[in-house]
Amino acid sequence: MEGNRFPRWGLILGGLAAGVINGLLGAGGGVILVFLLRAALGPGAESRDIYASALITTLPITLISALRYGGVGALPLGDFLPLALPAAVGGVLGALLLDRIHPKITRRIFAALVIFSGAFMLLR
């Protein structure tokens, strides 16, 4: 993110917000990071780079949050285990598809997911 004019304090506050939301809700930090990185890196940034940066940033956030949830007994392994392997396989497939799908399509998929998730949560 060198050479851009996005303020460093904006990255710090955005990172803090991503961590708080991810820890509080168990998800959503990555969404904040994608928006933050898109703003910070500018319109010429590759979607692949933005998604990869958001993923690697959410890794420690997720690990720390999961350890904290586990420490208070709120991490039911019976719910986790049936999801873990299919999610890992899906992650590999998604990473393989990322370079094969036009960035405009991945942005639309991301936007649709955010809109659908928000509508689902509001209407449920």
Side-chain angles (χ1 to χ4, degrees), residues 84-109:
L85 182 60
V89 171
V92 170
L93 292 174
L96 292 171
L97 287 172
L98 186 57
D99 283 334
R100 292 175 171 80
I101 298 176
H102 194 278
K104 190 173 189 176
I105 301 297
T106 58
R107 284 193 304 271
R108 288 181 177 167
I109 291 170

Side-chain angles (χ1 to χ4, degrees), residues 37-105:
L37 289 164
R38 189 162 301 284
L41 296 175
E46 294 281 334
S47 293
R48 177 195 66 224
D49 297 341
I50 291 170
Y51 299 139
S53 295
L55 278 173
I56 198 66
T57 305
T58 58
L59 184 61
I61 296 170
T62 302
L63 180 61
I64 291 167
S65 299
L67 290 173
R68 176 67 182 130
Y69 277 98
V72 297
L75 196 61
L77 291 180
D79 294 340
F80 160 78
L81 293 176
L83 297 172
L85 182 60
V89 171
V92 170
L93 292 174
L96 292 171
L97 287 172
L98 186 57
D99 283 334
R100 292 175 171 80
I101 298 176
H102 194 278
K104 190 173 189 176
I105 301 297

